[in-house]
Amino acid sequence: MFKHFIFIIIALSFFFTQLAGAQIASTGFEEENNIYEKVYDAKLNLNNGDNRTLTQLCASKPVILALIFTRCSGICNPFLVQLKENLQFKTDTDNFSVLVLSFDPRDTREDMVNLSKSLNLENNKQWLFATTGDIEKLNLSVGFNPVWDSIRSQYDHDALLVGINKEGYITKKLIGIRNKSDLELLIRSVNDVFSPSYRLPNKNRLFSCFNYNPETGKNTPGLGLLFLTLPAVITLLLLLGISYTVRHKRILI
Amino acid sequence: METIKLRKITSLWIITVLFLFIVNIVLGIIMRLNQGEILHEQPATFYAHMTTHGLTQIGIWFVAGMTGINYLMERYLKTSYLANVVAMVLTVTGILMLWTSTYIGNFHAGWTFLYPLPLKIMWAKWATPLFLGSILVMGVGWLTWSVSMMTQILKKYPLTKALAWQHFRKNPTIQTPPFILISMITLIGIITCLLGAVLLLAMYAAEYFSNGAFVNDALLMKNLTYFFGHTIANEMLYLGLAVIYELFPEVGGRPKWKATWYVALAWNCTLVFILTAFFHHLYMDFVQPVGFQIVGQIASYMASLPAAGVTVFSVLVAVYRTSIKWSLTNLLFFIGVAGWVIGGLGAVIDVTITNNFVLHNTLWVPAHFHTYNALGNVLFSLAFFHWFSIQFSEKTDFEKLTKLKLTLLLIGGIGFLLAFYIGGAESMPRRYSNYPAEFPMAAPLAIGAAVFATIYLAAILIFFFQISKRCLNILFSSSSH
Ligand code: HEM
């Protein structure tokens, strides 16, 4: 009887180990970094002539921050056009502002004014365009890492939107050109409304309950689930071990 | 038979538990007065009270149950005095560490310390390891105690007999006393959830000391937290029930209850299902697959309903149209079972997924668990404390103030709990230091609750003085009488 128990447990353990696997290393998405950390309080040169800091700006209204540079020949323009399109039919525009901030030190206030004109947004109160002298510290605080490519004379960078709430905390990040419902979640999060989100892969997180595969969109059981069964398995082994030991001792006596 | 040493340590446990309970009720009243805007504390102070109150209550009522079964188990087999002492030393050390972390270090992440709160330091940096260390110290003490008791049971009863499996066959030759069955089932559950706590703490330590090289999975941490937290909070109730099965018929002058196939089945169900019932704490975690949520609901029913069914049946059969000797011990057991059932029904309502959409994290949650604790498990242990203390007393006026004590307990307890239930039914959130303006009734309800809790406290104070006086006599007496 006892041997059968042990056999079944070992067989089951092997079976479950087969089902579970460690999370595969990061795919480069870093949307979950820096969440709920304070954004760096950069001094801004706004296109309307104001000189406010980022936290002062957020204090009046939560901010959706778009990081771009005006000489970009790649993603920046389609990224901003898409953002504008996604927001243009929104009626409740009072609960956040969009801050388009250049991360290129060569950009001037004039460049940003021109950018706002080219997008037809120069008179739109919800949209602000700015440069800052503190861009490195700000980049660090939001986990944005543009790399200068001297051959193309361009920055290699992500299209990043950062949601910052009134208290200056980063509530959510979106990387890449995203659809309306993702944007909606970002807006909810800056207004401190619950927004469900999935965990993204992280190479330092070894024991997930489920591993999400962004390519197939499926969840598979992870090592974490095995961990969850561990206390019960150890107890069972302990129980059988003690039961076996005391019985044998009794027989020997 | 029990030794004098066991008597003395049991007395010490009782005095310690009752003393800490009084301090803890005061913390509860302070929290309600703050929610009622009579006191104006910083939110961090409120949450420090809530953390201290929650974990200390769980701790003391767990050890109260263990004290009861350890003492009564000596009727059947020899238990380890050393394990009992180790548990006592580590519990007291753990409680001191806990209170230092919350009141000097200002740790205030709640007794469930949900990940990643303890690692988001908003208090003294040392308070997080001290708080987690306090759980480890207490956990090791309780694990030692439980494993030792389980070993002693297995020395006398083979595993299958300890679990009363022979009752599934016709005419079993050997009887397993229900007390042994329930104690065994409960000890197994306790050991499992304490091992879960050890794993949880190890995961926290790994992240805390790895400087970002290792990150935990929030879903795994939440699952582990409730695997430990929910399970221990339920198992401690079962310890109280084991005491009832042993003492209720005895003090009422009735024959001892026997294990039957349905008693064995109900408690074996509890053993299996209680370990997966905690999934109901994750209903709102949409990343948890739906299958787990369904398991959570079914397991919650299966863990509680059969055991409640057979216990209530046994108690009712014992008192219905029979000449039972009513005493304070019996009455406390009887009212306690009623409180347990009412609180249990509140829990079953909450655990049903469709209802949980409305009741999740509202005051309904503290409403139901305070019912089966403050008017359930606490009464089981008070009954044992009272019964134990009068065993060795030469006086005979044990039933003094019985009516007064029970009236205060009931009026205070019901009033205090009703405020939680009404709040829950009105969707008032739990764990708010101050209620938002959207709930104009929340503050008046909290004040009312504080008044009723004070009445409940008055009853506990009388119990404390009477029982502690007798226990002190046992503690300092040199005779074996
Ligand atoms: C008359 C006695 C008691 C009073 C006045 C009291 C009061 C309170 C209050 C005001 C809260 C916070 C509720 C909220 O807003 O969420 C609370 C939470 C709690 N209480 Fe009690 N309580 C009492 C008895 C008990 C007992 C007997 C237990 C036994 C286990 C207990 C365990 C807890 C736990 C576990 C929490 C949750 C803490 C957390 O959320 O971290 N209480 N109590």
Side-chain angles (χ1 to χ4, degrees):
Chain A
M1 178 76 169
F2 184 71
K3 276 190 215 146
H4 290 203
F5 263 132
I6 300 284
F7 175 76
I8 290 169
I9 288 160
I10 294 172
L12 280 180
S13 320
F14 276 117
F15 175 69
F16 283 119
T17 335
Q18 291 302 308
L19 284 180
Q23 177 74 61
I24 306 139
S26 164
T27 50
F29 280 87
E30 274 156 8
E31 281 187 2
E32 54 180 3
N33 292 350
N34 310 89
I35 301 296
Y36 302 123
E37 286 174 9
K38 276 237 165 171
V39 69
Y40 181 74
D41 191 15
K43 289 195 190 78
L44 306 172
N45 309 310
L46 291 152
N47 59 340
N48 58 13
D50 263 10
N51 283 327
R52 277 193 278 171
T53 69
L54 185 51
T55 359
Q56 283 168 344
L57 192 69
C58 294
S60 54
K61 244 187 218 182
V63 163
I64 290 179
L65 171 71
L67 287 159
I68 50 91
F69 71 113
T70 58
R71 290 168 183 79
C72 183
S73 59
I75 188 85
C76 290
N77 207 39
F79 172 51
L80 289 177
V81 170
Q82 180 77 41
L83 183 62
K84 181 186 156 190
E85 266 180 25
N86 280 343
L87 293 178
Q88 68 187 343
F89 296 116
K90 271 194 76 63
T91 46
D92 50 340
T93 51
D94 274 358
N95 56 359
F96 68 97
S97 340
V98 182
L99 172 65
V100 180
L101 182 69
S102 166
F103 59 82
D104 184 351
R106 292 172 301 172
D107 278 334
T108 60
R109 182 180 285 171
E110 215 182 341
D111 290 329
M112 298 309 282
V113 171
N114 287 339
L115 177 66
S116 70
K117 283 184 182 156
S118 73
L119 289 165
N120 234 342
L121 288 167
E122 74 272 27
N123 295 322
N124 187 325
K125 290 247 159 45
Q126 197 187 12
W127 286 70
L128 299 160
F129 291 76
T131 58
T132 175
D134 301 325
I135 193 65
E136 281 182 16
K137 288 182 186 147
L138 184 82
N139 281 349
L140 199 69
S141 75
V142 299
F144 183 59
N145 187 23
V147 180
W148 177 248
D149 179 346
S150 53
I151 298 170
R152 293 191 301 127
S153 284
Q154 285 287 308
Y155 282 99
D156 191 0
H157 70 99
D158 285 327
L160 175 69
L161 283 181
V162 184
I164 307 166
N165 71 5
K166 274 192 163 182
E167 284 81 38
Y169 285 99
I170 300 167
T171 58
K172 192 170 174 65
K173 285 166 46 176
L174 294 179
I175 296 176
I177 296 182
R178 304 287 277 270
N179 59 21
K180 269 190 195 156
S181 66
D182 284 351
L183 202 61
E184 201 59 54
L185 288 179
L186 184 69
I187 295 167
R188 283 162 66 90
S189 80
V190 293
N191 285 293
D192 298 331
V193 178
F194 173 70
S195 55
S197 69
Y198 283 90
R199 180 186 59 75
L200 287 167
N202 178 336
K203 64 178 176 345
N204 295 341
R205 183 176 294 112
L206 305 174
F207 308 124
S208 312
C209 287
F210 300 98
N211 297 327
Y212 178 68
N213 184 340
E215 279 158 26
T216 60
K218 280 193 178 146
N219 257 328
T220 47
L223 279 177
L225 276 190
L226 215 62
F227 267 60
L228 215 49
T229 57
L230 211 57
V233 173
I234 299 176
T235 309
L236 193 59
L237 291 176
L238 197 70
L239 189 63
L240 296 175
I242 295 174
S243 168
Y244 181 81
T245 316
V246 294
R247 215 172 41 176
H248 269 241
K249 263 198 189 154
R250 219 178 317 152
I251 292 167
L252 287 179
I253 292 166
Chain B
M1 272 309 276
E2 98 280 351
T3 60
I4 301 175
K5 279 195 296 188
L6 179 62
R7 249 180 245 171
K8 287 189 189 271
I9 195 159
T10 305
S11 305
L12 194 58
W13 274 120
I14 292 175
I15 298 169
T16 314
V17 166
L18 285 177
F19 172 73
L20 285 173
F21 187 39
I22 289 167
V23 181
N24 246 345
I25 297 178
V26 173
L27 289 183
I29 295 172
I30 291 175
M31 281 192 278
R32 281 317 244 161
L33 288 176
N34 192 67
Q35 290 171 327
E37 288 162 27
I38 300 282
L39 294 179
H40 300 278
E41 293 186 311
Q42 291 294 321
T45 314
F46 173 91
Y47 290 112
H49 292 327
M50 198 184 82
T51 309
T52 316
H53 170 89
L55 190 53
T56 312
Q57 292 285 40
I58 296 289
I60 59 176
W61 294 109
F62 170 76
V63 293
M66 289 290 282
T67 305
I69 66 158
N70 192 152
Y71 184 79
L72 293 171
M73 203 167 279
E74 285 277 327
R75 293 174 162 192
Y76 299 95
L77 43 96
K78 181 96 203 75
T79 61
S80 161
Y81 176 69
L82 181 65
N84 200 329
V85 174
V86 168
M88 162 69 89
V89 172
L90 293 186
T91 304
V92 173
T93 314
I95 295 275
L96 289 175
M97 287 166 71
L98 162 70
W99 285 60
T100 312
S101 77
T102 51
Y103 285 125
I104 301 178
N106 202 23
F107 182 91
H108 53 269
W111 97 270
T112 45
F113 56 100
L114 269 182
Y115 179 84
L117 285 181
L119 303 176
K120 301 269 166 197
I121 311 283
M122 295 177 188
W123 37 73
K125 206 163 182 286
W126 51 264
T128 290
L130 190 68
F131 174 83
L132 297 175
S134 76
I135 300 181
L136 184 68
V137 168
M138 287 189 270
V140 169
W142 301 346
L143 203 54
T144 313
W145 203 3
S146 314
V147 172
S148 135
M149 248 194 267
M150 186 176 84
T151 309
Q152 297 307 110
I153 295 179
L154 288 172
K155 276 187 187 162
K156 174 143 183 203
Y157 301 89
L159 180 56
T160 50
K161 302 281 178 307
L163 296 174
W165 286 358
Q166 76 278 19
H167 289 279
F168 298 139
R169 271 183 263 118
K170 267 193 181 160
N171 307 323
T173 44
I174 300 176
Q175 272 282 330
T176 304
F179 173 78
I180 294 293
L181 165 68
I182 303 170
S183 300
M184 185 67 185
I185 297 273
T186 310
L187 287 171
I188 296 173
I190 290 169
I191 292 168
T192 315
C193 71
L194 289 177
L195 287 173
V198 172
L199 191 60
L200 176 68
L201 295 175
M203 306 289 265
Y204 266 116
E207 180 162 345
Y208 187 81
F209 293 112
S210 77
N211 283 330
F214 171 74
V215 185
N216 275 299
D217 178 51
L219 189 63
L220 171 62
M221 295 300 269
K222 187 165 179 186
N223 271 309
L224 277 176
T225 303
Y226 282 105
F227 182 72
F228 155 63
H230 174 267
T231 313
I232 192 129
N234 276 263
E235 297 288 358
M236 65 190 203
L237 256 160
Y238 302 147
L239 294 173
L241 289 176
V243 173
I244 291 197
Y245 272 74
E246 182 66 17
L247 288 185
F248 190 79
E250 180 179 313
V251 290
R254 308 283 310 151
K256 253 191 175 353
W257 292 346
K258 292 214 168 91
T260 53
W261 69 265
Y262 53 85
V263 170
L265 183 66
W267 284 99
N268 276 275
C269 270
T270 302
L271 168 65
V272 177
F273 291 109
I274 196 67
L275 297 179
T276 43
F278 76 92
F279 283 134
H280 64 229
H281 281 274
L282 285 99
Y283 284 160
M284 295 296 137
D285 295 70
F286 62 96
V287 277
Q288 187 104 305
V290 179
F292 284 49
Q293 320 288 28
I294 295 168
V295 168
Q297 177 171 324
I298 295 172
S300 307
Y301 290 160
M302 293 301 292
S304 55
L305 296 180
V310 292
T311 309
V312 172
F313 177 72
S314 310
V315 170
L316 288 181
V317 166
V319 299
Y320 185 68
R321 290 201 178 166
T322 50
S323 55
I324 185 166
K325 265 199 296 187
W326 284 105
S327 61
L328 180 57
T329 309
N330 258 354
L331 284 166
L332 284 169
F333 279 141
F334 192 76
I335 301 169
V337 170
W340 172 51
V341 171
I342 295 167
L345 286 176
V348 168
I349 292 174
D350 191 17
V351 99
T352 307
I353 294 175
T354 43
N355 300 337
N356 195 268
F357 281 116
V358 183
L359 297 174
H360 193 90
N361 272 352
T362 64
L363 285 178
W364 191 270
V365 182
H368 77 67
F369 74 69
H370 277 92
T371 311
Y372 55 65
N373 280 306
L375 281 188
N377 196 24
V378 169
L379 305 201
F380 300 159
S381 287
L382 276 183
F384 168 74
F385 294 172
H386 172 77
W387 172 85
F388 167 83
S389 71
I390 62 177
Q391 297 303 299
F392 312 102
S393 174
E394 269 139 37
K395 293 193 184 143
T396 47
D397 55 347
F398 309 131
E399 302 296 315
K400 213 164 109 188
L401 302 181
T402 293
K403 271 197 192 139
L404 176 69
K405 282 185 287 190
L406 290 181
T407 314
L408 291 176
L409 261 188
L410 280 173
I411 293 178
I414 292 172
F416 161 68
L417 293 169
L418 254 163
F420 271 153
Y421 278 111
I422 296 170
E426 290 289 324
S427 293
M428 288 172 198
R430 72 183 283 206
R431 291 180 175 155
Y432 268 43
S433 59
N434 297 99
Y435 294 108
E438 283 79 4
F439 298 106
M441 279 312 290
L445 270 176
I447 299 171
V451 173
F452 281 108
T454 311
I455 299 176
Y456 181 92
L457 174 64
I460 298 297
L461 280 170
I462 306 177
F463 273 110
F464 174 67
F465 287 119
Q466 291 183 330
I467 296 175
S468 298
K469 210 169 127 198
R470 293 187 212 117
C471 283
L472 281 173
N473 280 339
I474 300 170
L475 200 59
F476 294 112
S477 76
S478 50
S479 83
S480 59
H481 296 292

